[in-house]
Amino acid sequence: MKFNRSAKENGTTTNYMGAKAYVMSAEMELYTAVATCVVDDAYYEKAAARLERIRSLVSRCPATFTARLAVYARKELNLRSIPVLLAVELARVHAGDNLVSNVIRNIVLRADEIKEVLACYQLSNSREATKKLNRLSKQVQKGLAQAFNRFDEYQFAKYNTASEIKLKDALFLVHPKAKDEAQQQLFNKIATGTLATPYTWETELSALGKQHFATQAARAMAFTETWDALVLSKRLGYMALLRNLRNLVYYSSTVAFTQALAQLTSEQQINASRQLPFRYLSAFKELETIQQQKGVPKLLQQKAKQAMVALEQALVTSCANIPVQRGTTVILSDNSGSMFGDLGGKSLVSAMSKRTTADIANLFAVLYWNQSPGAYIGLFGDKLVNPQLSRKERVFENFTRINEAAKNCGPATERGIFDYMSQLIRTQQIVDRIIIFSDCQVGQGCKWFDHAGNRGDNFNQLLVQYRLINPGVKVYSIDLKGYGNTMVEQGAVLVSGWNERIFDMIAAVEAGQGVVETINAIDLG
């Protein structure tokens, strides 16, 4: 079975480290750029450059692939902004059928995304006149009109926030056809600005923040009552719960806090919310600061610990379906400098997050290891580091072990990956698969090299040598940044993304289906 076309067949290039790298097909490059994009600056690539590259790739890829990739990114990778961009760019280069409207109908899963599509369309088409959205694409209009039929008053009201393009503007622009009289009345409320004020944690806390309290004790009591009401009314969504666990530790009563943890660990709600794994890590790290602070009351310490255990359970549940493959798996996690970022934080996953790309790599490594007795983890930077993990400890505890061990990798190069490949060749150890989590920018910048004289592109020479010993080894390069090139020349599968779906993609490949083929199988109905 041939997993993917050789990267070498597409040509060579120079990566951001100054080393030889291999060009991907347009479809693979678009997939990796999309799967790791949150429209923020990255360590090696500005957000504007990433978006321009995506626009160029859309024009080079088959329209049906771009359409299915947009739906895959929204429904499987749980991304929001980038599917909108793909749909809008697709509308610029494709016409004559219902492909664009089908995509929009599939990716607009929240009421505010109706406005996001129009805002993106306006920017993408450089509309600056008074009526910026005149001559709206008929297929974009049709898809958004269908999306209007999906939401109720609460959902419209929740996202009827102040913005340049308002929900009322969208209604007048796309002219949705009401399903029945009740929905027509709802559309009338949008038009007249008379939607009922939604009961959400944002509106409740905003109202509370405007009140004056005589004492701090009175203020604390009011916050407790508000958080309790939000939790007990079951109006606090799963993402909001993750974001506000720290507040619940400080302010909620025992009854409300117990219900919040039950919601957090509910398998049904976990699967419905489909949070990216690093979201659980971010919440865990916030609670960890409470544990580490001096002078925090014992009750708060206990509540923080309970919440941390619940987060652990929720994360494991969310990743319970990771398809673990048989045999011996080697997981190599990149902990070089570009994975942590400079002082400007350019390797953070987004401007709103404290998590780095190395955090994602190490979390994925421990999640797979946690469910696979035959897995080994190696961390690479200036040297190879073997973290001492324990099967008796929880995921986050082992993640902490990995991050502590990673401090010994050295921040400059990736020579540790050469050490591991050389070790495999020297010992003639047979492994079934090698999974590499990296930004795929192994190179020779600043004349960096290892003690054996290996440069960035020599990884492929080592891989060829190892295949002489172990021709059946499967190699997966998991691209966590999507810079558009790869260090692997041939005989490896390229996968990209920030959620556990990357493991599904590995399973699909081992079952005989390639990455592009998996995306092309997405149903647009």
Side-chain angles (χ1 to χ4, degrees), residues 205-307:
L205 289 178
S206 176
L208 191 62
K210 296 174 184 178
Q211 295 183 29
H212 174 73
F213 298 97
T215 65
Q216 281 296 110
R219 180 179 183 277
M221 179 60 70
F223 270 84
T224 293
E225 291 173 352
T226 300
W227 281 112
D228 280 9
L230 286 166
V231 172
L232 297 175
S233 67
K234 298 183 179 180
R235 289 296 185 96
L236 196 64
Y238 199 88
M239 182 61 178
L241 180 63
L242 277 179
R243 290 174 58 186
N244 287 290
L245 271 178
R246 184 185 179 92
N247 285 326
L248 294 174
V249 166
Y250 275 96
Y251 295 113
S252 66
S253 67
T254 301
V255 172
F257 188 68
T258 300
Q259 179 166 309
L261 297 190
Q263 179 183 344
L264 183 67
T265 54
S266 163
E267 183 175 355
Q268 181 180 0
Q269 294 200 44
I270 290 168
N271 293 335
S273 69
R274 302 171 69 184
Q275 298 297 318
L276 295 171
F278 76 83
R279 301 290 188 198
Y280 294 98
L281 176 61
S282 295
F284 183 88
K285 287 296 182 182
E286 282 294 311
L287 296 176
E288 198 173 49
T289 61
I290 299 177
Q291 291 275 296
Q292 294 169 349
Q293 286 176 2
K294 294 182 179 179
V296 174
K298 186 176 180 179
L299 177 60
L300 295 186
Q301 293 274 5
Q302 291 173 343
K303 289 175 72 176
K305 185 175 181 179
Q306 286 179 278

Side-chain angles (χ1 to χ4, degrees), residues 343-360:
L343 293 178
K346 292 178 183 175
S347 199
L348 300 179
V349 297
S350 78
M352 301 299 290
S353 175
K354 297 178 182 178
R355 304 278 65 81
T356 67
T357 313
D359 282 336
I360 294 177

Side-chain angles (χ1 to χ4, degrees), residues 115-116 159-167 169:
K115 299 187 296 180
E116 286 299 301
Y159 296 111
N160 191 29
T161 53
S163 54
E164 184 177 353
I165 297 174
K166 300 176 177 60
L167 199 55
D169 301 329

